[in-house]
């Protein structure tokens, strides 16, 4: 993308947070968090370097907004996928959520890193909400499985099992992102496989 020249420089009031966010996401996708800077954003938008600071106090403030925007988009995708499941099965709901999460991460690799990696590009996850909205939704879906009896474990164990299942899902995504995910010959989708195994294992619990 060509950078705008100074002769075409836009005035500060002609910008919007949405424009800045969209350009930031584009730079993030192309160059990663290390390549994101207010100067590059200004060059892409054809404005002064000071202009983005009218909307964001700092680059950390901007990254926080990108995380919030990403979380909102991911949560929306998870809810939509869950709502489209025709049964009340918690495992079917979790499978739909896992597929949607995998698709989001695959299409937004750099944003996903910023959203979930503890320390990435000098930005620490502890500076942001510690319990992502997407995880809360996943946790609630697991809880429903406990309450319905579909997951026959004591109800106070649902947070631990939810963490275990989320860790598996996150691990599959990281393996895929790093090119380490290798499908076994004749095996199916790793997300579908994982949910199937969880369903078999968790359904065998004797109270």
């Amino acid at each position: 993308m060509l950078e705008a020249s100074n002769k075409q420089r836009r005035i500060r009031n002609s910008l919007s947070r949405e424009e800045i966010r969209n350009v930031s996401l584009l730079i993030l996708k192309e160059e990663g968090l290390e390549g994101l800077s207010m100067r590059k954003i200004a060059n892409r938008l054809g404005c002064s370097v000071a202009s983005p600071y009218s909307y964001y106090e700092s680059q950390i403030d901007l990254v926080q907004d990108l995380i919030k925007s990403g979380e909102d988009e991911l949560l929306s995708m998870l809810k939509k996928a869950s709502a489209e499941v025709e049964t009340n099965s918690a495992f079917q709901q979790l499978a739909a959520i896992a597929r949607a999460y995998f698709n989001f991460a695959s299409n937004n690799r750099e944003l996903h890193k910023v959203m979930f990696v503890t320390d990435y590009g000098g930005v620490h996850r502890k500076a942001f909400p510690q319990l992502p909205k997407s995880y809360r939704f996943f946790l609630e879906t697991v809880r429903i499985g406990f309450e319905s009896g579909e997951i026959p474990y004591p109800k106070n164990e649902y947070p631990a099992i939810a963490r275990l299942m989320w860790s598996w899902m996150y691990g599959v995504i990281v393996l895929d992102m790093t090119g380490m995910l290798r499908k076994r010959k004749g095996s199916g989708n790793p997300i579908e496989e994982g949910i199937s195994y969880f369903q078999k294992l968790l359904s065998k619990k004797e109270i």
Side-chain angles (χ1 to χ4, degrees):
M1 184 180 295
L2 295 176
E3 296 178 353
S5 66
N6 291 335
K7 293 180 180 179
Q8 300 171 318
R9 179 168 291 179
R10 296 171 55 177
I11 61 174
R12 183 175 303 182
N13 292 337
S14 69
L15 294 175
S16 69
R17 286 177 70 93
E18 184 177 5
E19 275 188 290
I20 297 171
R21 184 187 303 122
N22 289 340
V23 168
S24 299
L25 288 171
L26 182 59
I27 296 172
L28 185 65
K29 183 176 182 179
E30 294 175 350
E31 304 182 37
L33 186 61
E34 295 86 351
L36 182 64
S37 70
M38 291 300 199
R39 182 172 297 280
K40 286 186 179 180
I41 293 169
N43 286 339
R44 296 284 185 108
L45 290 172
C47 62
S48 68
V49 177
S51 294
Y53 286 102
S54 297
Y55 299 85
Y56 296 98
E57 293 182 1
S58 65
Q59 188 167 327
I60 293 296
D61 186 31
L62 170 61
V63 173
Q64 286 178 316
D65 189 41
L66 295 181
I67 289 177
K68 180 181 182 301
S69 176
E71 270 291 302
D72 289 343
E73 180 183 353
L74 175 56
L75 180 61
S76 177
M77 289 177 63
L78 301 189
K79 287 184 174 181
K80 183 176 184 295
S82 179
E84 290 176 349
V85 176
E86 296 180 354
T87 71
N88 292 324
S89 166
F91 284 111
Q92 293 301 315
Q93 300 280 339
L94 290 168
I97 288 171
R99 285 193 294 270
Y101 181 21
F102 189 86
N103 289 337
F104 173 86
S106 297
N107 293 326
N108 301 275
R109 292 174 179 265
E110 293 301 320
L111 177 59
H112 181 269
K113 290 178 185 178
V114 176
M115 289 167 59
F116 291 102
V117 176
T118 304
D119 184 3
Y120 178 60
V123 177
H124 295 271
R125 176 71 205 182
K126 66 183 180 182
F128 311 108
Q130 294 186 1
L131 193 61
K133 298 175 184 177
S134 51
Y135 179 71
R136 290 201 296 267
F137 183 70
F138 185 86
L139 188 66
E140 177 65 13
T141 305
V142 175
R143 185 185 66 79
I144 291 172
F146 272 76
E147 292 186 344
S148 69
E150 188 176 4
I151 303 177
Y153 277 71
K155 291 182 180 179
N156 64 347
E157 293 186 18
Y158 88 87
I161 289 180
R163 287 194 296 269
L164 176 64
M165 295 183 73
W166 181 273
S167 298
W168 152 77
M169 186 169 63
Y170 181 78
V172 170
I173 288 170
V174 172
L175 288 174
D176 180 61
M177 286 183 169
T178 55
M180 297 177 64
L181 186 61
R182 296 287 185 270
K183 291 184 179 180
R184 292 181 292 108
K185 187 176 181 179
S187 66
N189 183 296
I191 294 293
E192 308 298 337
E193 278 189 329
I195 290 293
S196 177
Y197 281 125
F198 271 115
Q199 184 170 6
K200 292 175 183 177
L201 291 171
L202 294 177
S203 296
K204 291 181 179 180
K205 173 69 178 180
E206 295 182 0
I207 305 296

